[in-house]
Amino acid sequence: MSADRKPATRSVRVNDVALTYYEWRGPPGDQRPPLVFAHATGFHARVFDSMIEHFSDRRVLSLDLRGHGRSEGGPIDDWRTMSGDVTAFLDQLRIRRAVGVGHSMGAHTLVQCAADLPEAFSRLVLFDPVILAPEFYAADAALYTSDAPHPAIRRKRDFASPEEMIERFSSRDPYRLFDPRVFEDYCRYGLKPREDGGYELACTPETEASIYASSRSNDGIHKAAQRVEVPALVVRAKQTDLQDFKSSPTWSALASIMPQGTDLHRPDRTHFHPFEDPSDAARIVAEAIAD
């Protein structure tokens, strides 16, 4: 099949929102399980296009999570809201034995989904899942409050055009590290047209800030990880300062508590590995599938 194939845009209603997803069809009669992609906070399904091109002979689904991309929804106060949406999505579409590919919050979400709906996945590839050490979830102090919200609340939300967004962010961290195609996809698909002209962020600053503020909410994620019986590859980036978005937040022992977990430490990459080098990320997925 051609690497330039275009996805179909589809929508499904789960819980109280309509979720948008993109489907790249496989060859007729192909019975292999699909690949299902889940993105990070503040991103969207189409940031994976450059990776997905490497799987031109497979059925692929990439999902805009609640409040992101073209999906409905707004701020949340519990990360299990996201996993509940995705579990319902997988169940409604009767997805079984898929290969789950997640990044950051999307990878965290797929771990919870794999625990809650075991038949949905046959394998997971988790790029720097936001699953921190247990003591992070045991802390009582709120990460952010209404008086002191996460800095994402101050993001610029309105742009005259995608080109303005591209020009504004191209020289800034972490965007300057991104593969050029990924960066352009991030900007073009990360904006929605406004009725009065111009564009606005598809993931509102309020939604993004709420996800960071509630990142301690799923205190059962380690028990969920222990229930994931399928092979799970945890790809961890370099760890420096957790205040720096480029640093890996992933607990170094995560793979060891998963029944079939494997740890792959990549200190040569930042938390944005799939965006810095989508070909390398695709290679990791392809090798995991081939095992």
Short mmCIF file of all heavy atoms in Angstrom, two decimals, residues 5 11 24 30 32 44 67 74 76 92-93 107 109 127 133 141 144 165 183 185 195-196 206 263 272 288:
data_model
loop_
_atom_site.label_atom_id
_atom_site.label_comp_id
_atom_site.label_asym_id
_atom_site.label_seq_id
_atom_site.Cartn_x
_atom_site.Cartn_y
_atom_site.Cartn_z
N ARG A 5 -1.04 7.23 1.79
CA ARG A 5 -2.47 7.01 1.99
C ARG A 5 -3.00 7.98 3.04
O ARG A 5 -2.29 8.35 3.99
CB ARG A 5 -2.74 5.56 2.42
CG ARG A 5 -2.07 5.19 3.73
CD ARG A 5 -2.32 3.76 4.12
NE ARG A 5 -1.60 3.47 5.36
CZ ARG A 5 -1.97 2.56 6.24
NH1 ARG A 5 -3.05 1.83 6.02
NH2 ARG A 5 -1.26 2.35 7.33
N SER A 11 -15.94 9.54 13.99
CA SER A 11 -16.31 9.99 15.32
C SER A 11 -17.16 8.93 16.00
O SER A 11 -17.95 8.23 15.33
CB SER A 11 -17.09 11.31 15.23
OG SER A 11 -17.47 11.76 16.51
N TRP A 24 -6.49 4.54 9.25
CA TRP A 24 -5.79 4.16 8.03
C TRP A 24 -6.10 2.68 7.79
O TRP A 24 -5.79 1.82 8.63
CB TRP A 24 -4.28 4.33 8.19
CG TRP A 24 -3.78 5.74 8.25
CD1 TRP A 24 -3.15 6.41 7.25
CD2 TRP A 24 -3.79 6.63 9.37
NE1 TRP A 24 -2.78 7.67 7.68
CE2 TRP A 24 -3.17 7.83 8.97
CE3 TRP A 24 -4.28 6.53 10.69
CZ2 TRP A 24 -3.02 8.93 9.83
CZ3 TRP A 24 -4.14 7.62 11.54
CH2 TRP A 24 -3.51 8.79 11.10
N ASP A 30 -6.81 -8.43 5.51
CA ASP A 30 -5.76 -8.46 6.53
C ASP A 30 -6.38 -8.73 7.90
O ASP A 30 -7.25 -7.99 8.35
CB ASP A 30 -5.00 -7.14 6.54
CG ASP A 30 -3.83 -7.14 7.52
OD1 ASP A 30 -3.31 -8.24 7.82
OD2 ASP A 30 -3.45 -6.05 7.97
N ARG A 32 -4.47 -9.12 10.74
CA ARG A 32 -3.57 -8.74 11.83
C ARG A 32 -4.22 -7.68 12.72
O ARG A 32 -5.01 -6.87 12.25
CB ARG A 32 -2.25 -8.22 11.26
CG ARG A 32 -1.40 -9.27 10.59
CD ARG A 32 -0.19 -8.64 9.90
NE ARG A 32 -0.61 -7.72 8.85
CZ ARG A 32 0.23 -6.92 8.20
NH1 ARG A 32 1.52 -6.92 8.51
NH2 ARG A 32 -0.22 -6.12 7.25
N HIS A 44 -2.29 15.80 19.85
CA HIS A 44 -3.47 15.30 19.14
C HIS A 44 -3.06 14.09 18.31
O HIS A 44 -1.87 13.74 18.22
CB HIS A 44 -4.06 16.39 18.25
CG HIS A 44 -3.06 17.07 17.36
ND1 HIS A 44 -2.55 16.47 16.22
CD2 HIS A 44 -2.46 18.28 17.44
CE1 HIS A 44 -1.69 17.28 15.65
NE2 HIS A 44 -1.61 18.39 16.37
N GLY A 67 -11.04 16.56 24.83
CA GLY A 67 -10.53 17.91 24.97
C GLY A 67 -9.35 18.24 24.08
O GLY A 67 -8.75 19.30 24.21
N GLY A 74 -13.73 19.12 27.89
CA GLY A 74 -12.95 20.21 28.46
C GLY A 74 -12.11 19.74 29.63
O GLY A 74 -11.67 18.58 29.66
N ILE A 76 -10.52 18.29 33.06
CA ILE A 76 -10.81 17.09 33.85
C ILE A 76 -10.18 17.24 35.23
O ILE A 76 -9.31 18.09 35.45
CB ILE A 76 -10.26 15.82 33.16
CG1 ILE A 76 -8.72 15.85 33.11
CG2 ILE A 76 -10.85 15.64 31.78
CD1 ILE A 76 -8.09 14.53 32.74
N GLN A 92 -16.51 -0.24 22.12
CA GLN A 92 -17.57 0.06 21.15
C GLN A 92 -17.16 -0.34 19.74
O GLN A 92 -17.98 -0.83 18.95
CB GLN A 92 -17.94 1.55 21.20
CG GLN A 92 -19.18 1.88 20.41
CD GLN A 92 -19.68 3.29 20.66
OE1 GLN A 92 -20.15 3.95 19.75
NE2 GLN A 92 -19.57 3.76 21.89
N LEU A 93 -15.88 -0.16 19.40
CA LEU A 93 -15.39 -0.53 18.08
C LEU A 93 -14.97 -2.01 18.02
O LEU A 93 -14.51 -2.46 16.98
CB LEU A 93 -14.20 0.35 17.68
CG LEU A 93 -14.55 1.61 16.89
CD1 LEU A 93 -15.40 2.57 17.73
CD2 LEU A 93 -13.30 2.32 16.39
N ALA A 107 0.29 7.09 26.93
CA ALA A 107 0.82 5.78 27.33
C ALA A 107 0.28 5.38 28.70
O ALA A 107 -0.07 4.22 28.93
CB ALA A 107 2.35 5.83 27.34
N THR A 109 -2.56 6.25 29.86
CA THR A 109 -3.94 5.88 29.60
C THR A 109 -4.05 4.46 29.06
O THR A 109 -4.93 3.68 29.48
CB THR A 109 -4.55 6.88 28.60
OG1 THR A 109 -4.57 8.19 29.20
CG2 THR A 109 -5.95 6.49 28.19
N PHE A 127 5.95 4.97 25.12
CA PHE A 127 7.02 5.97 25.08
C PHE A 127 6.86 6.92 26.26
O PHE A 127 5.96 7.75 26.31
CB PHE A 127 6.98 6.74 23.76
CG PHE A 127 7.44 5.93 22.58
CD1 PHE A 127 6.53 5.25 21.79
CD2 PHE A 127 8.79 5.83 22.28
CE1 PHE A 127 6.96 4.49 20.70
CE2 PHE A 127 9.23 5.07 21.19
CZ PHE A 127 8.31 4.40 20.41
N ALA A 133 7.05 7.37 40.29
CA ALA A 133 7.28 6.49 41.44
C ALA A 133 6.10 6.56 42.40
O ALA A 133 5.41 7.58 42.47
CB ALA A 133 8.57 6.88 42.15
N ALA A 141 -0.03 17.05 49.19
CA ALA A 141 -0.08 18.44 48.70
C ALA A 141 -0.57 18.49 47.27
O ALA A 141 -0.17 17.68 46.42
CB ALA A 141 1.30 19.07 48.81
N TYR A 144 -1.18 21.94 41.96
CA TYR A 144 -1.55 23.29 41.54
C TYR A 144 -2.93 23.60 42.12
O TYR A 144 -3.71 22.69 42.42
CB TYR A 144 -1.57 23.42 40.02
CG TYR A 144 -0.25 23.06 39.38
CD1 TYR A 144 -0.03 21.78 38.88
CD2 TYR A 144 0.78 23.99 39.32
CE1 TYR A 144 1.20 21.43 38.33
CE2 TYR A 144 2.00 23.66 38.77
CZ TYR A 144 2.21 22.38 38.27
OH TYR A 144 3.43 22.04 37.74
N MET A 165 1.56 30.27 14.18
CA MET A 165 1.96 29.35 15.24
C MET A 165 3.31 28.71 14.92
O MET A 165 4.18 28.59 15.79
CB MET A 165 0.89 28.29 15.45
CG MET A 165 1.15 27.37 16.63
SD MET A 165 -0.24 26.21 16.88
CE MET A 165 0.35 25.30 18.31
N PHE A 183 6.53 18.76 13.62
CA PHE A 183 6.23 20.09 14.15
C PHE A 183 5.13 20.77 13.34
O PHE A 183 4.20 21.36 13.89
CB PHE A 183 7.50 20.94 14.16
CG PHE A 183 7.26 22.37 14.56
CD1 PHE A 183 6.81 22.67 15.84
CD2 PHE A 183 7.45 23.40 13.66
CE1 PHE A 183 6.56 23.99 16.23
CE2 PHE A 183 7.21 24.72 14.02
CZ PHE A 183 6.77 25.01 15.31
N ASP A 185 2.80 19.28 11.54
CA ASP A 185 1.54 18.59 11.82
C ASP A 185 0.98 19.00 13.18
O ASP A 185 -0.24 19.18 13.33
CB ASP A 185 1.75 17.07 11.80
CG ASP A 185 1.92 16.51 10.39
OD1 ASP A 185 1.56 17.20 9.42
OD2 ASP A 185 2.42 15.37 10.26
N GLU A 195 -15.19 30.88 14.55
CA GLU A 195 -16.31 31.36 13.74
C GLU A 195 -16.11 32.80 13.27
O GLU A 195 -16.58 33.19 12.21
CB GLU A 195 -17.62 31.24 14.53
CG GLU A 195 -18.07 29.81 14.77
CD GLU A 195 -19.41 29.75 15.46
OE1 GLU A 195 -19.99 30.84 15.72
OE2 GLU A 195 -19.90 28.63 15.74
N ASP A 196 -15.39 33.59 14.08
CA ASP A 196 -15.19 34.99 13.74
C ASP A 196 -13.89 35.22 12.98
O ASP A 196 -13.45 36.35 12.81
CB ASP A 196 -15.22 35.86 15.00
CG ASP A 196 -14.12 35.48 16.00
OD1 ASP A 196 -13.50 34.41 15.83
OD2 ASP A 196 -13.91 36.25 16.95
N GLU A 206 -7.06 25.87 29.51
CA GLU A 206 -7.72 25.37 30.72
C GLU A 206 -7.70 23.85 30.78
O GLU A 206 -7.49 23.25 31.85
CB GLU A 206 -9.16 25.88 30.79
CG GLU A 206 -9.30 27.38 30.98
CD GLU A 206 -9.11 28.18 29.70
OE1 GLU A 206 -9.06 27.58 28.60
OE2 GLU A 206 -9.02 29.42 29.80
N ASP A 263 12.22 -2.92 29.86
CA ASP A 263 12.66 -1.54 29.96
C ASP A 263 13.67 -1.23 28.86
O ASP A 263 14.61 -2.00 28.64
CB ASP A 263 13.29 -1.28 31.32
CG ASP A 263 13.70 0.17 31.50
OD1 ASP A 263 12.81 1.02 31.62
OD2 ASP A 263 14.92 0.46 31.53
N PHE A 272 10.28 13.77 24.36
CA PHE A 272 9.57 13.92 23.08
C PHE A 272 10.18 13.05 21.98
O PHE A 272 10.08 13.40 20.80
CB PHE A 272 9.56 15.40 22.68
CG PHE A 272 8.85 16.27 23.67
CD1 PHE A 272 9.56 17.00 24.60
CD2 PHE A 272 7.47 16.33 23.71
CE1 PHE A 272 8.91 17.78 25.54
CE2 PHE A 272 6.81 17.11 24.64
CZ PHE A 272 7.53 17.84 25.56
N ALA A 288 9.21 -4.42 18.11
CA ALA A 288 8.37 -5.01 19.14
C ALA A 288 7.30 -5.91 18.55
O ALA A 288 7.01 -6.99 19.07
CB ALA A 288 7.73 -3.91 19.99
#
